[in-house]
Amino acid sequence: MRRQILSLHILSEDEKVKIHHTALEVLERTGMDIFDEESIEILSSAGASVVNKTRVRIPTFLVQEALNSAPSRVTLYNRDGAPYLYLCDDNYYFMSSPGCLNIIDSHTQERRPITYEDMCNYTKIVDSLSEIEMIGSWMISLQPEVIADRYQAEAIILNSSKPFYLAPLSIEGLQDVISMCSIVCGGMEALSKKPFFVTAANPIPPLRIPQLSCQKLLTMVGKGLPIIFNPMILVGATGPIDLYGSLILLIANNLAELVLSQQKKRGAPVILGGVGSAMDMRTGQMCYEGPELNLLCGALAEMGRFYGLPVWGTGGCSSSKILDAQAAADVSSSLIFSILTGANLIHDVGFLENGLTSSFEIQFLCNEMISMVRHLAKGFTVGNTAEALDLIDRTGVDGHYLTTPETFDRFRQIWTPGLIDRQTYSSWMESGGLSMQDRMHAKVEETLRNYHPKELDQGITRELRKIVEAAKKKYV
Amino acid sequence: MEGNGRRTEMVVFENLTESIFQGNESKVREIVEQSIKRNVSVKDILYNGLIESMNMIGVKFKNGEFFIPEVLRAAKAMKAGIEVIRPLFDKSGVEPLGKVVIGTVNGDLHDIGKNLVSMMVEGSGFEVIDIGISAPPEKFVESVKVNGAKLCMMSALLTTTMPAMKTTIEALQKAGLRGMVKTMVGGAPVTQKFANDIGADGYGSNAADAVEVAKRLIMD
């Protein structure tokens, strides 16, 4: 299917088929270690073979069945029950930085753990941004750690009506977060119909799925909520050094979880996903920038489209420790690639330090760059030749276009930045000579001062608090 | 005579270093065997030959000249050399560098970081006992006890499994082993502050750093 926006192709149609078949062979021959009895039971009764308790080999027909039954589209709603993200076709949306452990403090520039208050402010900021449709939960530093997920869910639900992603720290945590969302919707059935929360089941490459990931998948599917498959592969370390080999592993992991989801419930909504990038061979770090990240995540998005399933992408992220020139370069290049290669839900927007850190300011940078790349991806129309010729001829060799009716009708279609500065030097100096950093910081201040997210009903707020308190009582 | 012998030794060690750099296991084995035949002392082979070569690689790694796969290949070649002389340690009165127990803590199945550190520490001449993934505190305790390890290294990738590092250190304490074994923690979410808070003796922020800290803790 031809895309209606500008696109970039890494793989040919033949290559996609080849990658698919090779991944199927991996699942049938090498298999996966699955560390969850319930999942093994489900797969084994469906026809997978199990040896040595955990090694599960999945026959091709199960994958084919799963590909047939998984819905080709997923709609995510907002907190207030309105359809918000249509994950299919050429549609693409962005999700802010999930799972970060540190914030670069807006005032001190110090890198420190994230507090509940930070989480509320971060949510407000992302709620206010026009180009980031979904909130990826940061991780609050709390003792005991295991209850942080309820606080995160509360901070998000109270401060934004956008759909959100959160990685609960336990199955009890996931169940509590689901309960909190269902309170907002007025019941579990309503939430299943209008999900505004998703999470991911992460395999551990090369080919393993830990129990918690299996149980998250089964719980979400059991409740009729969408689940994202999220293998994260380090090229040359947990994946083969050639990108082809690493892509095969990314797909094999996705297909294994796809089979598990469809065996648990035919028609369960799923989102293909994962991140593949190089391990930096000098430092051992996973790189959240660079050609390998962009090529692998782009190829994964193409495979998602090949399967006709919603797929998530990776962009707007950086390995820089602070919001500096490197961060801006990393963020921009990955955003362009992620859109042009066709992912539907692009996450990791606002990552610093390979996902360990984020900041308020970087959300504004990402918002600006996304807005620009969206304009870029539209391309332009090759319109009516007679009209184009007529305008050029009418204006002649020494006229201008500043006052033509055509210009007046369409001048606002030229992309106008919000933060990027295009003034002359002297006007820029007169307006304060502010750097991009200064301007982003001013936006943070202004938003936190003036932006008020849509409030939640007081009764619901109290119910949510009860769940948070109950978890606190249980674990503290 | 003494001077001549010294020179031969240096040439031999130059070849040894070259072979380790190239990751040529069989050549390393051959040079070590020849050195033994020529009565080069086991201690010299170990310290001035094998370990010194890895120290040189460590410097090249730090400078960005050598990349991780090259270091790991060299470490493997170096280990091949150590295996040749290990049976002679007792007889030659050579004190081995010490044993290290390493594992990913309870509840955590992530092992790429642990594997990387394990191979690099091994490449520094230590004997490494890798107890695998999701290792409960008792497994660490048992392995430290049985092997008389000088260092216990714990890895975690999940914030939820980091508390298991504390539990493991407490278990070592309870077993009365804290006096003889140093503890070290590492993994993407782990910080120096966390290491201090749980009473770990060391923290490695990356694989290279982990090796440096491990060496320091064991040599102390």
Side-chain angles (χ1 to χ4, degrees), chain A residues 292-311:
Chain A
E292 291 79 14
L293 174 87
N294 292 320
L295 285 168
L296 265 180
C297 294
L300 178 70
E302 281 192 63
M303 290 303 293
R305 298 175 68 80
F306 165 78
Y307 290 125
L309 293 174
V311 61

Side-chain angles (χ1 to χ4, degrees), chain A residues 35 101 111 139 145-146 169 204-205 208-211 234 237-238 279-285 356, chain B residues 61 63-69 108-112 116 133 159-160 163 188-189 191 205-207:
Chain A
F35 298 94
L101 299 174
R111 172 184 177 274
M139 287 179 73
E145 169 81 41
V146 71
L169 301 164
I204 302 179
R208 293 169 292 185
I209 314 179
Q211 185 180 35
L234 287 164
T238 60
M279 184 178 86
D280 178 73
M281 288 299 181
R282 288 187 300 186
T283 60
Q285 296 300 300
L356 286 176
Chain B
F61 179 50
N63 295 340
E65 276 176 75
F66 266 45
F67 285 39
I68 287 169
D108 207 324
L109 306 185
H110 295 88
D111 57 358
I112 190 67
L116 181 55
I133 50 177
T159 51
T160 39
T191 60
S205 72
N206 58 47

Side-chain angles (χ1 to χ4, degrees), chain A residues 188-257:
Chain A
M188 193 58 232
E189 202 180 320
L191 178 63
S192 309
K193 279 188 185 136
K194 298 180 172 183
F196 70 103
F197 154 68
V198 289
T199 194
N202 292 25
I204 302 179
L207 291 156
R208 293 169 292 185
I209 314 179
Q211 185 180 35
L212 181 58
S213 301
C214 289
Q215 284 297 320
K216 280 184 183 177
L217 184 153
L218 296 177
T219 304
M220 290 295 277
V221 168
K223 303 265 188 195
L225 299 171
I227 182 82
I228 302 169
F229 310 138
N230 189 29
M232 296 173 70
I233 287 191
L234 287 164
V235 171
T238 60
I241 191 69
D242 61 313
L243 301 194
Y244 171 51
S246 278
L247 180 59
I248 292 167
L249 274 191
L250 275 172
I251 298 301
N253 277 280
N254 266 285
L255 295 179
E257 290 199 332

Side-chain angles (χ1 to χ4, degrees), chain B residues 29-94:
Chain B
R29 239 180 259 122
E30 192 188 310
I31 296 174
V32 171
E33 277 159 7
Q34 276 171 6
S35 305
I36 296 168
K37 274 185 201 147
R38 286 187 193 149
N39 289 325
V40 181
S41 82
V42 171
K43 195 174 173 184
D44 252 4
I45 298 173
L46 178 64
Y47 286 96
N48 298 327
L50 296 167
I51 291 177
E52 184 51 28
S53 302
M54 285 310 289
N55 286 343
M56 285 156 76
I57 284 177
V59 172
K60 284 184 182 292
F61 179 50
K62 226 173 182 175
N63 295 340
E65 276 176 75
F66 266 45
F67 285 39
I68 287 169
E70 292 165 311
V71 177
L72 296 181
R73 199 174 62 166
K76 212 173 156 206
M78 188 264 198
K79 197 189 165 198
I82 287 204
E83 290 316 318
V84 176
I85 53 169
R86 196 185 297 284
L88 309 173
F89 280 178
D90 260 358
K91 208 172 67 185
S92 329
V94 172

Side-chain angles (χ1 to χ4, degrees), chain B residues 97-117:
Chain B
L97 277 190
K99 293 182 184 175
V100 176
V101 166
I102 190 169
T104 303
V105 295
N106 211 5
D108 207 324
L109 306 185
H110 295 88
D111 57 358
I112 190 67
K114 183 263 295 168
N115 292 343
L116 181 55
V117 170

